[in-house]
Amino acid sequence: MAANSPFVIAGAGLAGAKAAEALREEGFDGPVVLVGDEQERPYERPPLSKDYLQGSSPREDVFVHPGGWYEEHGVDLRLGVPVTGIDPGGRSVRLADGSAFAYEKLLLATGSSPRRLPVAGENLDGVHYLRSLADSDTLKETFAAASRIVVIGGGWIGLETTAAAREAGVEVTLLEAGELPLVGVLGREAAQVFAGLHTAHGVDLRCGTHVTEITGARGRVDGVLLDGGERIDADAVVIGVGITPNTRLASDAGLEVGNGVRVDSALRTSDPGIWAAGDVANAFHPLLGRHIRVEHWANALNQPAAAARSMLGGDVSYDRLPYFFTDQYDLGMEYTGHVERGGYDRVVFRGSTDDREFVAFWLSERRVLAGMNVNVWDVTGPVRTLITSGLPVDEGRLGDVGVPLTEVFAGG
Ligand SMILES: Cc1cc2nc3c(=O)[nH]c(=O)nc-3n(C[C@H](O)[C@H](O)[C@H](O)COP(=O)(O)OP(=O)(O)OC[C@H]3O[C@@H](n4cnc5c(N)ncnc54)[C@H](O)[C@@H]3O)c2cc1C
């Protein structure tokens, strides 16, 4: 390691940008190099399937920092150049432009990429994935020109894209392999709310269906074939079937990898000079007592500050509860907490699911694991307290909108 080698951040997304910011806020005045393979300076992705895609917010609003911020803060931002390799023993990184340099500490903030759908026709023109600003620009143009599209995958990206397309006046057939969209993350009780929301907005929702082929003529998509033999015509197809963490750098470097880059609660990888944060990090969560990888904005916003403190030698244990939000049509939602698939025994609704104005709580043995507020605001503080207290609640009081959330504990 050379004297005064930089702190290097691989990946210039939200997590990378927030890590650079946090290093400076912590008073670190040594060199910081932020390397990204995209051409754009770091930007936030949530608007790409919501207001930016719908044309209601300007491009400038998506960026994490103003253009001059990096230079002003002495952050050497290198764009359009992937990090191609890490030598943990020699503490150095290689970039695709052939350069190589030493690092003092390295943060992996390489995020994730859309999972490809392995069916024939996936490469036709008019078949889209949504991850980057350029993808969102292309979709916006597509919605302006298309009259009917097929969206494959009823996860968050698929649903938000569907809502944006409907708002643009496009007919949408939404294909979901499972019993309901989001059933894996929310369970059947709450997933029904989202299915109802989309059918109420005129979406042709097909569940339990698999696409066997994306069809086209002269290189351009014209529809999809379903496993039942049905064909659905489409001017464009959007695929949203999940993401995979970008772990190749880490695994090539011999770091411990498993559902992301494995890190401890201080965001340290299995190598003492390398940390990870954001979508790519599978971090030990002290409150939950296990590793979790969170693919959400708030994690990429907050975890890097903890990683930066840890890189600077601070005593860090990142224990923030996962938090997620979505906006679809006139529905706004926040979700706090974490439930393993099927890891709850009861869902309690507080408010009206018919009016789509409620808080849902996932419970296990009368303890709240997670809460989701739908068109109800300013409750994430009390919801977080219910979860972190670990105390049993009175389910009747929890479901009663007349009882304050601070007074729902059993025997309270
Ligand atoms: C369309 C869309 C909408 C979303 N909406 C929501 C939402 O409503 N709510 C919510 O909570 N979350 C949402 N998310 C998720 C949220 O945006 C992500 O959790 C967040 O972007 C993760 O940030 P990150 O910096 O960890 O990773 P990324 O944003 O993936 O950034 C990583 C960066 O590293 C780059 N990179 C990868 N490998 C290399 C390499 N070898 N060298 C250099 N650079 C590299 C990548 O190209 C990328 O630019 C949404 C995501 C998308 C795509």
Side-chain angles (χ1 to χ4, degrees):
M1 183 180 77
N4 218 15
S5 299
F7 277 38
V8 172
I9 303 167
L14 177 59
K18 293 309 268 187
E21 180 185 309
L23 285 169
R24 291 299 182 232
E25 280 184 353
E26 290 294 320
F28 178 66
D29 60 4
V32 175
V33 181
L34 174 56
V35 190
D37 60 1
E38 296 189 66
Q39 297 293 341
E40 305 283 352
R41 71 180 191 269
Y43 58 89
E44 307 215 10
R45 300 186 195 272
L48 308 186
S49 52
K50 306 181 188 66
D51 40 347
Y52 181 73
L53 178 57
Q54 291 176 25
S56 59
S57 72
R59 190 178 181 87
E60 202 50 33
D61 282 7
V62 305
F63 295 103
V64 182
H65 296 112
W69 185 91
Y70 298 91
E71 203 182 330
E72 281 160 24
H73 290 80
V75 174
D76 179 358
L77 177 62
R78 305 195 187 179
L79 294 175
V81 53
V83 177
T84 50
I86 306 167
D87 172 7
R91 291 212 173 188
S92 66
V93 288
R94 285 188 311 282
L95 308 191
D97 61 8
S99 60
F101 54 90
Y103 63 82
E104 183 166 346
K105 307 263 170 83
L106 172 66
L107 177 71
L108 296 175
T110 47
S112 51
S113 301
R115 191 177 295 142
R116 313 294 296 200
L117 186 70
V119 295
E122 181 251 2
N123 288 319
L124 288 166
D125 283 349
V127 177
H128 305 284
Y129 291 85
L130 175 53
R131 184 77 195 171
S132 68
L133 197 46
D135 295 337
S136 184
D137 287 334
T138 304
L139 270 191
K140 204 186 303 185
E141 286 165 21
T142 300
F143 293 170
S147 56
R148 59 195 166 176
I149 66 164
V150 165
V151 175
I152 304 174
W156 298 114
I157 297 292
L159 295 184
E160 290 179 359
T161 305
T162 295
R166 290 297 298 131
E167 302 278 13
V170 180
E171 297 293 322
V172 183
T173 303
L174 173 60
L175 304 175
E176 163 58 39
E179 173 193 355
L180 285 169
L182 303 173
V183 75
V185 276
L186 298 182
R188 183 186 295 159
E189 303 86 344
Q192 275 164 353
V193 173
F194 287 89
L197 173 73
H198 283 273
T199 49
H201 282 83
V203 174
D204 177 13
L205 172 62
R206 316 278 189 95
C207 296
T209 35
H210 291 84
V211 173
T212 54
E213 186 183 342
I214 301 175
T215 61
R218 289 178 297 282
R220 190 166 171 90
V221 69
D222 63 9
V224 300
L225 286 179
L226 304 183
D227 47 1
E230 187 183 353
R231 182 193 147 78
I232 300 174
D233 292 335
D235 304 324
V237 170
V238 184
I239 302 175
V241 292
I243 56 172
T244 47
N246 295 324
T247 54
R248 197 190 50 76
L249 275 181
S251 53
D252 287 356
L255 304 184
E256 197 184 330
V257 166
N259 182 27
V261 180
R262 299 267 292 187
V263 291
D264 63 15
S265 60
L267 290 331
R268 267 182 308 240
T269 69
S270 53
D271 181 277
I274 307 178
W275 282 252
D279 273 18
V280 78
N282 185 7
F284 183 79
H285 196 287
L287 284 180
L288 302 171
R290 59 182 174 273
H291 280 80
I292 57 165
R293 192 174 63 77
V294 180
E295 302 172 346
H296 297 320
W297 169 87
N299 186 62
L301 184 78
N302 297 311
Q303 204 176 44
R309 284 197 305 281
S310 182
M311 292 167 83
L312 293 169
D315 185 13
V316 168
S317 180
Y318 185 75
D319 64 357
R320 230 179 146 104
L321 282 176
Y323 165 92
F324 170 74
F325 69 92
T326 186
D327 295 309
Q328 298 169 32
Y329 311 105
D330 53 358
L331 180 149
M333 173 281 247
E334 297 174 290
Y335 180 103
T336 309
H338 179 76
V339 187
E340 294 284 305
R341 189 177 278 244
Y344 63 94
D345 51 38
R346 174 117 199 251
V347 181
V348 172
F349 288 98
R350 175 186 173 92
S352 165
T353 50
D354 288 347
D355 295 342
R356 293 192 271 272
E357 196 173 313
F358 63 90
V359 189
F361 295 96
W362 285 261
L363 273 63
S364 175
E365 296 177 352
R366 299 173 68 208
R367 286 165 173 83
V368 178
L369 303 174
M372 175 176 82
N373 46 301
V374 170
N375 290 341
V376 172
W377 304 108
D378 300 324
V379 292
T380 50
V383 169
R384 202 175 294 129
T385 304
L386 287 174
I387 299 167
T388 53
S389 75
L391 295 172
V393 292
D394 179 316
E395 294 169 6
R397 292 172 71 78
L398 184 65
D400 183 345
V401 287
V403 179
L405 281 175
T406 47
E407 296 171 19
V408 300
F409 291 108

